[in-house]
Amino acid sequence: MPRAEVATVLEQVCTTISPVKLEVIVNSSSGAGHESGIQQRLETAFKAAEVDARLWLAQTGSAVFALARKAANSDAEIIVAAGGDGTINSVASAIIGTGKTLGVLPFGTMNHFAKDLLIPLDLQGAIKTIVERHESSVDIGDVNGHIFINNSSLGLYPNIVRERERQQRLGWGKWPAYVWAALAVMRRYPFLNIQVGVDGKELRSRTPFIFVGNNEYEMETLNIGGRACLDKGELSLYITNRTGRLGLIRLALHALLGGLHQEKDFVALCTKEIRIETRHKHVRVALDGEVKLIAPPLHYRSRPGALRVLTPALPSPSPRAELTENMAAHSIGI
């Protein structure tokens, strides 16, 4: 074998067996992150997988972001977010544009992002996904410079989150606080008068709820909240048509029973950019479950392929591709 070919083969072998360097940021206040001995379990699991991993424990969301910013400047190739969707959002926000790749350990309650990318929810499977280093490029959503990996919403939900957090500070558990917050907000029933600009058209509405998704969400099946793909470069917009308390309750029941119907229950469309205007000086905007005050107008846009993330290698054709083809047959619009 010629010397040049030998050198090429040796270089490929060295690249293949080179240890994976990664930083792991654990949100110790979310899901499995606060379990006793979680740091030792993770260290043992990564050591068994022959991975050079440095672990950091964060007590708060702001600490997660600060550690992620620090990790983004390290020599690690992969930055792992161990937590829920809010934690993944914080880490992704810090590493986008740095050339780093995101790894996910789904330690949250819902784990929507991991489920949509078919990342295993068990620790061993998630670490195996990271070690195998199969990389995918996925879209993110952006509103006035703030990103979201799943969705953003205005109206009822951000107000419920704010009230729930207030009740938790008073000593309530998460779910009792959530139920109380939902009832309290429903009693006040905040409306938003909005003007939506999309694809050269304008829509005016007085609505209690606006939902913007990073790519299209399934809304008419029992898999409400799921996405077939995260790489179409689109935003989905859903605005409720039910304007009374009873109408909203019926909408919630329809959602639970998988009986949502476009036009009757909500306005829906897919697009690249959305502009939302309101008379409020600031509005509460939920971004992957975290609430921020943002000054309108709200400019939503898709950032195609902006996030590199480690996902399982799927056989071709993948289940995601089949779902995408099925959903393409059901286009939505105003």
Side-chain angles (χ1 to χ4, degrees), residues 91-140:
V91 175
S93 297
I95 70 171
I96 285 175
T98 65
K100 307 292 186 182
T101 300
L102 175 71
V104 175
L105 293 178
F107 282 2
T109 303
M110 304 305 293
N111 300 310
H112 291 299
F113 187 69
K115 290 176 182 176
D116 289 342
L117 290 175
L118 305 183
I119 295 171
L121 301 184
D122 64 287
L123 180 60
Q124 184 177 356
I127 288 180
K128 182 174 182 289
T129 297
I130 292 170
V131 172
E132 289 178 345
R133 288 191 279 181
H134 177 265
E135 188 176 296
S136 300
S137 293
V138 300
D139 310 334
I140 60 168

mmCIF file of all heavy atoms in Angstrom, residues 91-140:
data_model
loop_
_atom_site.group_PDB
_atom_site.id
_atom_site.type_symbol
_atom_site.label_atom_id
_atom_site.label_comp_id
_atom_site.label_asym_id
_atom_site.label_seq_id
_atom_site.Cartn_x
_atom_site.Cartn_y
_atom_site.Cartn_z
ATOM 1 N N VAL A 91 -29.165 25.937 27.098
ATOM 2 C CA VAL A 91 -27.879 25.467 26.571
ATOM 3 C C VAL A 91 -27.792 25.755 25.072
ATOM 4 O O VAL A 91 -26.765 26.222 24.576
ATOM 5 C CB VAL A 91 -27.686 23.974 26.868
ATOM 6 C CG1 VAL A 91 -26.404 23.460 26.215
ATOM 7 C CG2 VAL A 91 -27.651 23.730 28.378
ATOM 8 N N ALA A 92 -28.879 25.497 24.349
ATOM 9 C CA ALA A 92 -28.889 25.765 22.907
ATOM 10 C C ALA A 92 -28.656 27.250 22.632
ATOM 11 O O ALA A 92 -27.915 27.613 21.705
ATOM 12 C CB ALA A 92 -30.216 25.312 22.303
ATOM 13 N N SER A 93 -29.274 28.110 23.435
ATOM 14 C CA SER A 93 -29.107 29.555 23.257
ATOM 15 C C SER A 93 -27.646 29.966 23.370
ATOM 16 O O SER A 93 -27.195 30.874 22.673
ATOM 17 C CB SER A 93 -29.933 30.321 24.302
ATOM 18 O OG SER A 93 -31.307 30.082 24.153
ATOM 19 N N ALA A 94 -26.912 29.273 24.245
ATOM 20 C CA ALA A 94 -25.518 29.635 24.494
ATOM 21 C C ALA A 94 -24.568 29.106 23.423
ATOM 22 O O ALA A 94 -23.519 29.710 23.173
ATOM 23 C CB ALA A 94 -25.084 29.116 25.865
ATOM 24 N N ILE A 95 -24.914 28.005 22.776
ATOM 25 C CA ILE A 95 -23.942 27.376 21.875
ATOM 26 C C ILE A 95 -24.223 27.615 20.388
ATOM 27 O O ILE A 95 -23.365 27.334 19.555
ATOM 28 C CB ILE A 95 -23.834 25.860 22.132
ATOM 29 C CG1 ILE A 95 -25.106 25.128 21.689
ATOM 30 C CG2 ILE A 95 -23.500 25.578 23.581
ATOM 31 C CD1 ILE A 95 -24.960 23.615 21.712
ATOM 32 N N ILE A 96 -25.401 28.130 20.041
ATOM 33 C CA ILE A 96 -25.709 28.365 18.629
ATOM 34 C C ILE A 96 -24.693 29.354 18.039
ATOM 35 O O ILE A 96 -24.410 30.403 18.615
ATOM 36 C CB ILE A 96 -27.145 28.902 18.464
ATOM 37 C CG1 ILE A 96 -28.140 27.755 18.664
ATOM 38 C CG2 ILE A 96 -27.350 29.532 17.098
ATOM 39 C CD1 ILE A 96 -29.575 28.184 18.652
ATOM 40 N N GLY A 97 -24.136 28.987 16.928
ATOM 41 C CA GLY A 97 -23.160 29.841 16.268
ATOM 42 C C GLY A 97 -21.733 29.631 16.731
ATOM 43 O O GLY A 97 -20.816 30.287 16.223
ATOM 44 N N THR A 98 -21.503 28.720 17.679
ATOM 45 C CA THR A 98 -20.151 28.495 18.205
ATOM 46 C C THR A 98 -19.463 27.289 17.558
ATOM 47 O O THR A 98 -18.282 27.049 17.818
ATOM 48 C CB THR A 98 -20.194 28.258 19.728
ATOM 49 O OG1 THR A 98 -20.899 27.036 20.008
ATOM 50 C CG2 THR A 98 -20.880 29.425 20.434
ATOM 51 N N GLY A 99 -20.215 26.504 16.782
ATOM 52 C CA GLY A 99 -19.653 25.296 16.200
ATOM 53 C C GLY A 99 -19.778 24.085 17.096
ATOM 54 O O GLY A 99 -19.377 22.979 16.720
ATOM 55 N N LYS A 100 -20.336 24.270 18.299
ATOM 56 C CA LYS A 100 -20.537 23.146 19.216
ATOM 57 C C LYS A 100 -21.793 22.365 18.836
ATOM 58 O O LYS A 100 -22.702 22.883 18.186
ATOM 59 C CB LYS A 100 -20.681 23.643 20.658
ATOM 60 C CG LYS A 100 -19.560 24.551 21.140
ATOM 61 C CD LYS A 100 -18.240 23.820 21.275
ATOM 62 C CE LYS A 100 -17.172 24.728 21.895
ATOM 63 N NZ LYS A 100 -15.862 24.066 21.992
ATOM 64 N N THR A 101 -21.810 21.117 19.265
ATOM 65 C CA THR A 101 -22.962 20.249 19.027
ATOM 66 C C THR A 101 -23.667 19.973 20.347
ATOM 67 O O THR A 101 -23.022 19.780 21.376
ATOM 68 C CB THR A 101 -22.519 18.928 18.383
ATOM 69 O OG1 THR A 101 -21.872 19.205 17.145
ATOM 70 C CG2 THR A 101 -23.711 18.019 18.120
ATOM 71 N N LEU A 102 -24.981 19.943 20.306
ATOM 72 C CA LEU A 102 -25.794 19.726 21.502
ATOM 73 C C LEU A 102 -26.059 18.242 21.715
ATOM 74 O O LEU A 102 -26.437 17.528 20.788
ATOM 75 C CB LEU A 102 -27.122 20.466 21.360
ATOM 76 C CG LEU A 102 -28.156 20.257 22.484
ATOM 77 C CD1 LEU A 102 -27.702 20.955 23.763
ATOM 78 C CD2 LEU A 102 -29.524 20.776 22.051
ATOM 79 N N GLY A 103 -25.845 17.791 22.939
ATOM 80 C CA GLY A 103 -26.270 16.461 23.361
ATOM 81 C C GLY A 103 -27.412 16.622 24.349
ATOM 82 O O GLY A 103 -27.504 17.636 25.034
ATOM 83 N N VAL A 104 -28.289 15.631 24.425
ATOM 84 C CA VAL A 104 -29.473 15.746 25.272
ATOM 85 C C VAL A 104 -29.593 14.546 26.204
ATOM 86 O O VAL A 104 -29.586 13.393 25.763
ATOM 87 C CB VAL A 104 -30.757 15.851 24.409
ATOM 88 C CG1 VAL A 104 -31.995 15.846 25.304
ATOM 89 C CG2 VAL A 104 -30.721 17.113 23.560
ATOM 90 N N LEU A 105 -29.706 14.830 27.509
ATOM 91 C CA LEU A 105 -30.114 13.843 28.500
ATOM 92 C C LEU A 105 -31.470 14.298 29.016
ATOM 93 O O LEU A 105 -31.558 15.263 29.786
ATOM 94 C CB LEU A 105 -29.105 13.765 29.644
ATOM 95 C CG LEU A 105 -27.721 13.220 29.300
ATOM 96 C CD1 LEU A 105 -26.812 13.245 30.531
ATOM 97 C CD2 LEU A 105 -27.812 11.791 28.752
ATOM 98 N N PRO A 106 -32.560 13.654 28.582
ATOM 99 C CA PRO A 106 -33.910 14.136 28.906
ATOM 100 C C PRO A 106 -34.304 13.836 30.351
ATOM 101 O O PRO A 106 -34.831 12.767 30.658
ATOM 102 C CB PRO A 106 -34.799 13.389 27.900
ATOM 103 C CG PRO A 106 -34.029 12.174 27.533
ATOM 104 C CD PRO A 106 -32.576 12.498 27.669
ATOM 105 N N PHE A 107 -34.073 14.806 31.216
ATOM 106 C CA PHE A 107 -34.359 14.657 32.638
ATOM 107 C C PHE A 107 -35.641 15.388 33.056
ATOM 108 O O PHE A 107 -35.948 15.467 34.241
ATOM 109 C CB PHE A 107 -33.195 15.206 33.475
ATOM 110 C CG PHE A 107 -32.000 14.285 33.558
ATOM 111 C CD1 PHE A 107 -31.991 13.073 32.887
ATOM 112 C CD2 PHE A 107 -30.889 14.637 34.307
ATOM 113 C CE1 PHE A 107 -30.887 12.228 32.966
ATOM 114 C CE2 PHE A 107 -29.785 13.799 34.393
ATOM 115 C CZ PHE A 107 -29.784 12.599 33.717
ATOM 116 N N GLY A 108 -36.349 15.959 32.112
ATOM 117 C CA GLY A 108 -37.516 16.764 32.457
ATOM 118 C C GLY A 108 -38.776 15.947 32.636
ATOM 119 O O GLY A 108 -38.769 14.714 32.628
ATOM 120 N N THR A 109 -39.897 16.672 32.767
ATOM 121 C CA THR A 109 -41.200 16.028 32.949
ATOM 122 C C THR A 109 -41.798 15.614 31.616
ATOM 123 O O THR A 109 -42.264 14.481 31.449
ATOM 124 C CB THR A 109 -42.167 16.985 33.667
ATOM 125 O OG1 THR A 109 -41.587 17.392 34.916
ATOM 126 C CG2 THR A 109 -43.503 16.293 33.939
ATOM 127 N N MET A 110 -41.778 16.507 30.628
ATOM 128 C CA MET A 110 -42.420 16.244 29.348
ATOM 129 C C MET A 110 -41.442 15.808 28.255
ATOM 130 O O MET A 110 -41.756 14.947 27.447
ATOM 131 C CB MET A 110 -43.184 17.491 28.881
ATOM 132 C CG MET A 110 -44.213 17.993 29.885
ATOM 133 S SD MET A 110 -45.415 16.730 30.381
ATOM 134 C CE MET A 110 -46.289 16.480 28.837
ATOM 135 N N ASN A 111 -40.268 16.435 28.218
ATOM 136 C CA ASN A 111 -39.220 16.053 27.258
ATOM 137 C C ASN A 111 -39.709 16.062 25.805
ATOM 138 O O ASN A 111 -39.433 15.134 25.025
ATOM 139 C CB ASN A 111 -38.659 14.667 27.617
ATOM 140 C CG ASN A 111 -38.057 14.606 28.999
ATOM 141 O OD1 ASN A 111 -37.242 15.443 29.373
ATOM 142 N ND2 ASN A 111 -38.479 13.639 29.785
ATOM 143 N N HIS A 112 -40.411 17.127 25.411
ATOM 144 C CA HIS A 112 -40.964 17.197 24.059
ATOM 145 C C HIS A 112 -39.882 17.151 22.981
ATOM 146 O O HIS A 112 -40.014 16.460 21.972
ATOM 147 C CB HIS A 112 -41.793 18.475 23.888
ATOM 148 C CG HIS A 112 -43.055 18.478 24.674
ATOM 149 N ND1 HIS A 112 -44.048 17.548 24.495
ATOM 150 C CD2 HIS A 112 -43.504 19.313 25.658
ATOM 151 C CE1 HIS A 112 -45.062 17.799 25.313
ATOM 152 N NE2 HIS A 112 -44.742 18.853 26.037
ATOM 153 N N PHE A 113 -38.812 17.905 23.184
ATOM 154 C CA PHE A 113 -37.745 17.992 22.186
ATOM 155 C C PHE A 113 -37.125 16.619 21.952
ATOM 156 O O PHE A 113 -36.933 16.188 20.811
ATOM 157 C CB PHE A 113 -36.693 18.999 22.655
ATOM 158 C CG PHE A 113 -35.627 19.315 21.647
ATOM 159 C CD1 PHE A 113 -35.923 20.033 20.487
ATOM 160 C CD2 PHE A 113 -34.310 18.919 21.857
ATOM 161 C CE1 PHE A 113 -34.928 20.336 19.556
ATOM 162 C CE2 PHE A 113 -33.315 19.225 20.935
ATOM 163 C CZ PHE A 113 -33.629 19.931 19.779
ATOM 164 N N ALA A 114 -36.804 15.919 23.037
ATOM 165 C CA ALA A 114 -36.198 14.591 22.916
ATOM 166 C C ALA A 114 -37.149 13.616 22.231
ATOM 167 O O ALA A 114 -36.742 12.835 21.357
ATOM 168 C CB ALA A 114 -35.811 14.068 24.299
ATOM 169 N N LYS A 115 -38.421 13.661 22.603
ATOM 170 C CA LYS A 115 -39.396 12.746 21.994
ATOM 171 C C LYS A 115 -39.522 12.996 20.501
ATOM 172 O O LYS A 115 -39.590 12.046 19.711
ATOM 173 C CB LYS A 115 -40.751 12.912 22.681
ATOM 174 C CG LYS A 115 -40.799 12.383 24.106
ATOM 175 C CD LYS A 115 -42.152 12.682 24.748
ATOM 176 C CE LYS A 115 -42.192 12.201 26.186
ATOM 177 N NZ LYS A 115 -43.479 12.570 26.844
ATOM 178 N N ASP A 116 -39.579 14.266 20.094
ATOM 179 C CA ASP A 116 -39.747 14.576 18.673
ATOM 180 C C ASP A 116 -38.530 14.159 17.850
ATOM 181 O O ASP A 116 -38.652 13.887 16.653
ATOM 182 C CB ASP A 116 -40.026 16.069 18.486
ATOM 183 C CG ASP A 116 -41.415 16.463 18.965
ATOM 184 O OD1 ASP A 116 -42.268 15.564 19.111
ATOM 185 O OD2 ASP A 116 -41.649 17.657 19.201
ATOM 186 N N LEU A 117 -37.355 14.109 18.481
ATOM 187 C CA LEU A 117 -36.143 13.681 17.781
ATOM 188 C C LEU A 117 -35.845 12.207 18.008
ATOM 189 O O LEU A 117 -34.803 11.710 17.590
ATOM 190 C CB LEU A 117 -34.946 14.525 18.235
ATOM 191 C CG LEU A 117 -34.955 15.987 17.769
ATOM 192 C CD1 LEU A 117 -33.784 16.742 18.377
ATOM 193 C CD2 LEU A 117 -34.905 16.071 16.246
ATOM 194 N N LEU A 118 -36.774 11.502 18.682
ATOM 195 C CA LEU A 118 -36.653 10.071 18.953
ATOM 196 C C LEU A 118 -35.425 9.732 19.792
ATOM 197 O O LEU A 118 -34.877 8.622 19.709
ATOM 198 C CB LEU A 118 -36.635 9.281 17.635
ATOM 199 C CG LEU A 118 -37.810 9.527 16.682
ATOM 200 C CD1 LEU A 118 -37.696 8.630 15.460
ATOM 201 C CD2 LEU A 118 -39.143 9.307 17.381
ATOM 202 N N ILE A 119 -34.986 10.673 20.620
ATOM 203 C CA ILE A 119 -33.892 10.423 21.556
ATOM 204 C C ILE A 119 -34.427 9.576 22.703
ATOM 205 O O ILE A 119 -35.461 9.903 23.292
ATOM 206 C CB ILE A 119 -33.320 11.749 22.095
ATOM 207 C CG1 ILE A 119 -32.672 12.536 20.944
ATOM 208 C CG2 ILE A 119 -32.301 11.501 23.207
ATOM 209 C CD1 ILE A 119 -32.268 13.950 21.322
ATOM 210 N N PRO A 120 -33.762 8.468 23.050
ATOM 211 C CA PRO A 120 -34.254 7.616 24.144
ATOM 212 C C PRO A 120 -34.392 8.394 25.445
ATOM 213 O O PRO A 120 -33.566 9.254 25.758
ATOM 214 C CB PRO A 120 -33.171 6.537 24.257
ATOM 215 C CG PRO A 120 -32.525 6.500 22.905
ATOM 216 C CD PRO A 120 -32.546 7.921 22.413
ATOM 217 N N LEU A 121 -35.431 8.072 26.207
ATOM 218 C CA LEU A 121 -35.668 8.778 27.464
ATOM 219 C C LEU A 121 -34.935 8.134 28.645
ATOM 220 O O LEU A 121 -34.839 8.741 29.713
ATOM 221 C CB LEU A 121 -37.170 8.829 27.754
ATOM 222 C CG LEU A 121 -38.035 9.520 26.695
ATOM 223 C CD1 LEU A 121 -39.489 9.594 27.158
ATOM 224 C CD2 LEU A 121 -37.514 10.918 26.380
ATOM 225 N N ASP A 122 -34.441 6.908 28.477
ATOM 226 C CA ASP A 122 -33.672 6.274 29.544
ATOM 227 C C ASP A 122 -32.219 6.722 29.465
ATOM 228 O O ASP A 122 -31.702 7.071 28.392
ATOM 229 C CB ASP A 122 -33.762 4.751 29.432
ATOM 230 C CG ASP A 122 -33.131 4.228 28.150
ATOM 231 O OD1 ASP A 122 -33.738 4.418 27.065
ATOM 232 O OD2 ASP A 122 -32.023 3.665 28.212
ATOM 233 N N LEU A 123 -31.554 6.719 30.612
ATOM 234 C CA LEU A 123 -30.189 7.244 30.701
ATOM 235 C C LEU A 123 -29.226 6.491 29.790
ATOM 236 O O LEU A 123 -28.442 7.103 29.053
ATOM 237 C CB LEU A 123 -29.697 7.181 32.153
ATOM 238 C CG LEU A 123 -28.281 7.708 32.410
ATOM 239 C CD1 LEU A 123 -28.166 9.162 32.011
ATOM 240 C CD2 LEU A 123 -27.910 7.521 33.886
ATOM 241 N N GLN A 124 -29.274 5.177 29.810
ATOM 242 C CA GLN A 124 -28.352 4.379 29.001
ATOM 243 C C GLN A 124 -28.536 4.649 27.512
ATOM 244 O O GLN A 124 -27.565 4.832 26.774
ATOM 245 C CB GLN A 124 -28.559 2.891 29.292
ATOM 246 C CG GLN A 124 -27.569 1.989 28.556
ATOM 247 C CD GLN A 124 -27.742 0.519 28.922
ATOM 248 O OE1 GLN A 124 -28.547 0.174 29.772
ATOM 249 N NE2 GLN A 124 -26.988 -0.357 28.266
ATOM 250 N N GLY A 125 -29.796 4.716 27.070
ATOM 251 C CA GLY A 125 -30.066 4.964 25.660
ATOM 252 C C GLY A 125 -29.655 6.358 25.233
ATOM 253 O O GLY A 125 -29.124 6.557 24.124
ATOM 254 N N ALA A 126 -29.886 7.347 26.094
ATOM 255 C CA ALA A 126 -29.513 8.722 25.769
ATOM 256 C C ALA A 126 -27.997 8.878 25.678
ATOM 257 O O ALA A 126 -27.478 9.563 24.782
ATOM 258 C CB ALA A 126 -30.086 9.680 26.810
ATOM 259 N N ILE A 127 -27.270 8.243 26.602
ATOM 260 C CA ILE A 127 -25.805 8.310 26.563
ATOM 261 C C ILE A 127 -25.278 7.581 25.325
ATOM 262 O O ILE A 127 -24.331 8.047 24.673
ATOM 263 C CB ILE A 127 -25.202 7.729 27.856
ATOM 264 C CG1 ILE A 127 -25.458 8.697 29.024
ATOM 265 C CG2 ILE A 127 -23.700 7.477 27.698
ATOM 266 C CD1 ILE A 127 -24.920 8.233 30.351
ATOM 267 N N LYS A 128 -25.886 6.467 24.972
ATOM 268 C CA LYS A 128 -25.488 5.737 23.762
ATOM 269 C C LYS A 128 -25.646 6.636 22.529
ATOM 270 O O LYS A 128 -24.788 6.635 21.633
ATOM 271 C CB LYS A 128 -26.339 4.480 23.610
ATOM 272 C CG LYS A 128 -25.992 3.613 22.409
ATOM 273 C CD LYS A 128 -26.803 2.317 22.452
ATOM 274 C CE LYS A 128 -26.444 1.403 21.273
ATOM 275 N NZ LYS A 128 -26.943 1.915 19.992
ATOM 276 N N THR A 129 -26.733 7.415 22.490
ATOM 277 C CA THR A 129 -26.957 8.340 21.378
ATOM 278 C C THR A 129 -25.834 9.376 21.302
ATOM 279 O O THR A 129 -25.354 9.722 20.218
ATOM 280 C CB THR A 129 -28.306 9.048 21.537
ATOM 281 O OG1 THR A 129 -29.358 8.082 21.489
ATOM 282 C CG2 THR A 129 -28.532 10.078 20.437
ATOM 283 N N ILE A 130 -25.406 9.871 22.458
ATOM 284 C CA ILE A 130 -24.330 10.862 22.502
ATOM 285 C C ILE A 130 -23.006 10.247 22.040
ATOM 286 O O ILE A 130 -22.273 10.830 21.236
ATOM 287 C CB ILE A 130 -24.204 11.446 23.925
ATOM 288 C CG1 ILE A 130 -25.436 12.288 24.262
ATOM 289 C CG2 ILE A 130 -22.931 12.284 24.057
ATOM 290 C CD1 ILE A 130 -25.531 12.699 25.716
ATOM 291 N N VAL A 131 -22.718 9.050 22.540
ATOM 292 C CA VAL A 131 -21.445 8.395 22.218
ATOM 293 C C VAL A 131 -21.346 8.059 20.731
ATOM 294 O O VAL A 131 -20.271 8.170 20.119
ATOM 295 C CB VAL A 131 -21.276 7.115 23.073
ATOM 296 C CG1 VAL A 131 -20.057 6.319 22.616
ATOM 297 C CG2 VAL A 131 -21.147 7.486 24.546
ATOM 298 N N GLU A 132 -22.470 7.677 20.114
ATOM 299 C CA GLU A 132 -22.443 7.297 18.700
ATOM 300 C C GLU A 132 -22.228 8.498 17.779
ATOM 301 O O GLU A 132 -21.843 8.350 16.630
ATOM 302 C CB GLU A 132 -23.743 6.579 18.335
ATOM 303 C CG GLU A 132 -23.825 5.181 18.945
ATOM 304 C CD GLU A 132 -25.141 4.502 18.627
ATOM 305 O OE1 GLU A 132 -26.096 5.197 18.183
ATOM 306 O OE2 GLU A 132 -25.239 3.281 18.831
ATOM 307 N N ARG A 133 -22.499 9.700 18.274
ATOM 308 C CA ARG A 133 -22.187 10.961 17.588
ATOM 309 C C ARG A 133 -22.819 11.087 16.200
ATOM 310 O O ARG A 133 -22.199 11.576 15.267
ATOM 311 C CB ARG A 133 -20.673 11.170 17.508
ATOM 312 C CG ARG A 133 -20.037 11.515 18.823
ATOM 313 C CD ARG A 133 -18.612 11.979 18.660
ATOM 314 N NE ARG A 133 -17.692 10.868 18.518
ATOM 315 C CZ ARG A 133 -16.374 10.996 18.375
ATOM 316 N NH1 ARG A 133 -15.825 12.199 18.357
ATOM 317 N NH2 ARG A 133 -15.606 9.949 18.255
ATOM 318 N N HIS A 134 -24.065 10.651 16.089
ATOM 319 C CA HIS A 134 -24.786 10.889 14.831
ATOM 320 C C HIS A 134 -25.423 12.267 14.914
ATOM 321 O O HIS A 134 -26.278 12.516 15.766
ATOM 322 C CB HIS A 134 -25.862 9.826 14.608
ATOM 323 C CG HIS A 134 -26.673 10.060 13.368
ATOM 324 N ND1 HIS A 134 -27.878 10.720 13.387
ATOM 325 C CD2 HIS A 134 -26.427 9.752 12.076
ATOM 326 C CE1 HIS A 134 -28.355 10.798 12.163
ATOM 327 N NE2 HIS A 134 -27.499 10.222 11.345
ATOM 328 N N GLU A 135 -24.992 13.164 14.053
ATOM 329 C CA GLU A 135 -25.382 14.575 14.149
ATOM 330 C C GLU A 135 -26.487 14.935 13.162
ATOM 331 O O GLU A 135 -26.455 14.524 12.001
ATOM 332 C CB GLU A 135 -24.152 15.445 13.900
ATOM 333 C CG GLU A 135 -24.367 16.919 14.144
ATOM 334 C CD GLU A 135 -23.078 17.701 13.973
ATOM 335 O OE1 GLU A 135 -22.136 17.472 14.755
ATOM 336 O OE2 GLU A 135 -23.022 18.526 13.031
ATOM 337 N N SER A 136 -27.469 15.694 13.638
ATOM 338 C CA SER A 136 -28.526 16.227 12.783
ATOM 339 C C SER A 136 -28.575 17.744 12.943
ATOM 340 O O SER A 136 -28.244 18.274 14.004
ATOM 341 C CB SER A 136 -29.890 15.644 13.162
ATOM 342 O OG SER A 136 -29.915 14.233 13.029
ATOM 343 N N SER A 137 -28.977 18.424 11.885
ATOM 344 C CA SER A 137 -29.193 19.867 11.959
ATOM 345 C C SER A 137 -30.683 20.130 12.012
ATOM 346 O O SER A 137 -31.433 19.668 11.145
ATOM 347 C CB SER A 137 -28.580 20.568 10.741
ATOM 348 O OG SER A 137 -27.174 20.461 10.757
ATOM 349 N N VAL A 138 -31.128 20.846 13.039
ATOM 350 C CA VAL A 138 -32.549 21.111 13.203
ATOM 351 C C VAL A 138 -32.785 22.615 13.273
ATOM 352 O O VAL A 138 -31.875 23.402 13.550
ATOM 353 C CB VAL A 138 -33.115 20.426 14.464
ATOM 354 C CG1 VAL A 138 -32.936 18.920 14.391
ATOM 355 C CG2 VAL A 138 -32.475 20.979 15.744
ATOM 356 N N ASP A 139 -34.038 22.997 13.034
ATOM 357 C CA ASP A 139 -34.408 24.406 13.055
ATOM 358 C C ASP A 139 -34.637 24.874 14.489
ATOM 359 O O ASP A 139 -34.897 24.083 15.399
ATOM 360 C CB ASP A 139 -35.712 24.627 12.280
ATOM 361 C CG ASP A 139 -35.684 24.002 10.899
ATOM 362 O OD1 ASP A 139 -34.582 23.844 10.343
ATOM 363 O OD2 ASP A 139 -36.777 23.664 10.385
ATOM 364 N N ILE A 140 -34.549 26.177 14.661
ATOM 365 C CA ILE A 140 -35.010 26.799 15.901
ATOM 366 C C ILE A 140 -35.940 27.949 15.526
ATOM 367 O O ILE A 140 -35.900 28.468 14.413
ATOM 368 C CB ILE A 140 -33.851 27.318 16.777
ATOM 369 C CG1 ILE A 140 -33.045 28.379 16.016
ATOM 370 C CG2 ILE A 140 -32.988 26.190 17.266
ATOM 371 C CD1 ILE A 140 -32.071 29.135 16.899
#
